[in-house]
Amino acid sequence: MGKERLDKILATTGRWSRREAGALIRRGAVLVDGEPVRSPDTKTDPETSVVTAEGERLVWRRYTWVMLNKPAGYLSATEDGRGTTVLDLLPRELQRQGLFPVGRLDKDTEGLLLLTNEGPLAHALLSPKRHVDKVYYARVDGCLNEGDCAAFADGLSLSDGLECLPAKLEILPGTGGTEALVTLREGKFHQVKRMLASRGAPVVYLERVQMAGLELDRSLPRGDFRFLTENELAILQKFV
Ligand code: URA
């Protein structure tokens, strides 16, 4: 990265806006290599210097990865004429880092969405060749049964021509066949909805609960995000 303004370095973590970072620095709460630095425009190299803010060491990462608990009503895109994309749920400092969603969820689908500015790893996760698992919780208008599970396992042939890879359908106990987990290793347009509709059980609610071995963090309120942990990043790295 080279040298950058200290307020900008703090702001790229997403924890503070540029203005908040400036105030923190002026207050003397930010140390570079153990020395307080009080002017926000001081140039620092975060890869070679130790920066601490309010006593906590800043973990510098070249790329940003966040987990968003997507609510319904937002498009998985970086731009939309009506301004309702998932990027609108992130603070401005993160929006400026060129984050994009890793794959798409439909506008009405909720749950786990990863966003990053690390192109190669994101593309590896999306590559059809990698068969990255995605798990969805679905509520349907209809009643799923063991025959549907077997049909999913065999690989569905949809009347619209889509040949699906074998997938897992697990009916959730005590739901009378109205709720299930669906595990796919591919991600075609509206795929879960199309697959379940083909079995006479149209989706009324869909939430992604897992992707590439990462679980949706249930402590994240809908519409909130957090940075991925080191463990989670290590899980994703296995796909490169
Ligand atoms: N399958 C769908 O039908 N919709 C989604 O949003 C994701 C998978």
Side-chain angles (χ1 to χ4, degrees), residues 104-109 136 184 188-194 206 208:
R104 283 170 192 269
L105 291 179
D106 296 337
K107 190 169 180 181
D108 59 353
T109 301
Y136 298 87
L184 297 188
K188 303 276 166 44
F189 185 62
H190 293 331
Q191 187 162 355
V192 175
K193 291 175 183 166
R194 287 158 72 191
L206 193 62
R208 183 154 62 196

